[in-house]
Amino acid sequence: MSLLALASSAARLSNQALRTGALNNGLIGTQRLFSTDESVKQEVAAQFSKWNSALATLDPSKVASCYAPDGVLLPTVSNKVRRTKEEIVDYFQQFLKLRPQGKIDQANVRILSPNSAINSGVYTFDLVKDGQPTKVQARYSFTYRKIGNDWYIADHHSSAMPEKV
């Protein structure tokens, strides 16, 4: 088969996969391109516990170490988008003063590829504000990227719920 025919065949297969949505499910035809088994979903879901444990140390650098080198944070209690490790550390220097501990209320884990995944849903934070315990419920999305054998936060968005539940 010539190189041109091979490229044309690959393009047809790719277009067919995009039209049928097969790539969204990790499938081309009936062949799976990457694992979407429960163990990978559990591995991704466990990243929240890793991040939450880093919060419990009250060390902004430990929390920032959960983010990819080019990770982006759109935080709950700041209007500033954090695009560098230094900016992420700066945010957590303030946020950790509230002694946050999170709990997932609803999670939706999706595996996008062997090296990327999303976990989005709703979480609740126990905080101490002005010496008084309080709770804040927020929507979240974590996009993770696997680098080597470890998952890192590539993108993290969190916003307080707009209405009281």
Side-chain angles (χ1 to χ4, degrees), residues 100-140:
Q101 273 301 282
K103 172 180 80 66
I104 298 277
D105 301 319
Q106 176 189 13
N108 303 285
V109 176
R110 280 98 57 222
I111 308 302
L112 303 177
S113 77
N115 297 315
S116 63
I118 296 174
N119 181 359
S120 61
V122 177
Y123 51 25
T124 299
F125 279 96
D126 288 315
L127 307 170
V128 177
K129 189 172 181 179
D130 300 324
Q132 298 299 312
T134 188
K135 291 183 183 292
V136 174
Q137 192 174 51
R139 298 171 288 195
Y140 72 85

Side-chain angles (χ1 to χ4, degrees), residues 1-76:
M1 181 179 275
S2 74
L3 188 55
L4 182 59
L6 188 60
S8 177
S9 177
R12 271 194 316 277
L13 181 59
S14 178
N15 286 337
Q16 177 186 3
L18 289 172
R19 278 194 312 277
T20 63
L23 288 179
N24 292 336
N25 298 319
L27 300 172
I28 288 186
T30 59
Q31 187 175 20
R32 192 163 293 283
L33 294 176
F34 53 88
S35 173
T36 57
D37 66 26
E38 282 304 309
S39 66
V40 177
K41 285 186 174 184
Q42 290 172 0
E43 186 179 329
V44 169
Q47 298 311 302
F48 176 80
S49 293
K50 177 182 168 186
W51 179 77
N52 201 38
S53 294
L55 291 178
T57 69
L58 303 179
D59 180 344
S61 295
K62 284 201 189 312
V63 181
S65 73
C66 296
Y67 291 78
D70 61 346
V72 174
L73 169 63
L74 292 92
T76 310

Side-chain angles (χ1 to χ4, degrees), residues 76-89:
T76 310
V77 294
S78 171
N79 292 334
K80 182 178 177 187
V81 175
R82 311 302 171 123
R83 294 182 181 91
T84 67
K85 285 281 189 186
E86 294 76 22
E87 290 175 337
I88 292 170
V89 166

